[in-house]
Amino acid sequence: MASFEDILVKKHMKRTKARIMILKVLEKSLPLTAGEVYESVRGKDTRLSLSTVYRNCEALAEKGLLSRTTTMSDGLTRYEYAHATPVYYAICLSCHRIFPVDVELEKGYRRHMDEEYGFEVADPKVEIYGYCKECRASGRAKAYKEKMGI
């Protein structure tokens, strides 16, 4: 695998310390907001600001090195490393934890989307909403459902 420095050069981007730290944090993490990325990298470089992290996350997403996602109903943009194969997630409605899950889309779904709807799939994302076993066991899922009238 190529180094992050090499990847940035191939994308015609400057090889900055901030960009390399952001890529390292997101390479092995769940989707994070710019604020969460900032919290992860600020100990390594106290001169970095939240706005610098946000601008770099946006620049990396524009070049296809990160993916933007708005998982959960909070509407916050999260960034994740653009892996070669898509990663799908289960999201707990009660505690908001995000879990990677090993599921597959139906074989031939791209062709079906194109033929049936005239829609060319570019970046499939799967988000499955529900309740994690910890929330179900503790009763938080039941309390959340009652609060939401579900």
Side-chain angles (χ1 to χ4, degrees):
M1 182 176 154
S3 70
F4 289 128
E5 291 88 351
D6 293 339
I7 292 169
L8 290 168
V9 167
K10 286 179 185 169
K11 293 287 186 172
H12 306 289
M13 297 183 79
K14 289 182 182 177
R15 296 172 294 174
T16 66
K17 184 177 179 181
R19 289 178 179 165
I20 293 167
M21 285 192 297
I22 290 166
L23 289 169
K24 284 181 179 178
V25 164
L26 289 170
E27 178 187 30
K28 293 186 168 59
S29 78
L30 295 170
L32 299 174
T33 65
E36 292 166 332
V37 173
Y38 170 71
E39 291 298 322
S40 296
V41 298
R42 77 175 179 162
K44 297 174 182 114
D45 187 346
T46 56
R47 295 172 296 166
L48 282 179
S49 68
L50 175 58
S51 63
T52 298
V53 170
Y54 174 77
R55 281 193 313 274
N56 278 286
C57 284
E58 281 295 305
L60 292 165
E62 288 296 320
K63 292 289 187 170
L65 296 173
L66 299 181
S67 293
R68 285 185 206 91
T69 185
T70 53
T71 56
M72 301 187 348
S73 58
D74 60 12
L76 296 175
T77 299
R78 288 176 171 75
Y79 300 92
E80 66 180 309
Y81 189 75
H83 299 280
T85 56
V87 179
Y88 304 130
Y89 298 101
I91 301 161
C92 181
L93 291 166
S94 178
C95 69
H96 306 295
R97 287 185 24 213
I98 302 171
F99 307 87
V101 292
D102 186 20
V103 297
E104 294 293 325
L105 291 173
E106 180 181 307
K107 190 174 182 156
Y109 78 93
R110 287 179 187 263
R111 183 176 34 79
H112 175 76
M113 292 294 294
D114 189 26
E115 291 173 358
E116 185 71 22
Y117 304 103
F119 188 84
E120 180 182 351
V121 176
D123 185 19
K125 298 209 182 290
V126 174
E127 299 169 6
I128 303 167
Y129 293 86
Y131 304 95
C132 69
K133 65 180 174 184
E134 288 85 6
C135 287
R136 289 184 2 246
S138 70
R140 287 190 308 255
K142 183 178 179 185
Y144 178 83
K145 289 179 193 178
E146 288 172 355
K147 178 179 130 186
M148 299 306 288
I150 301 173

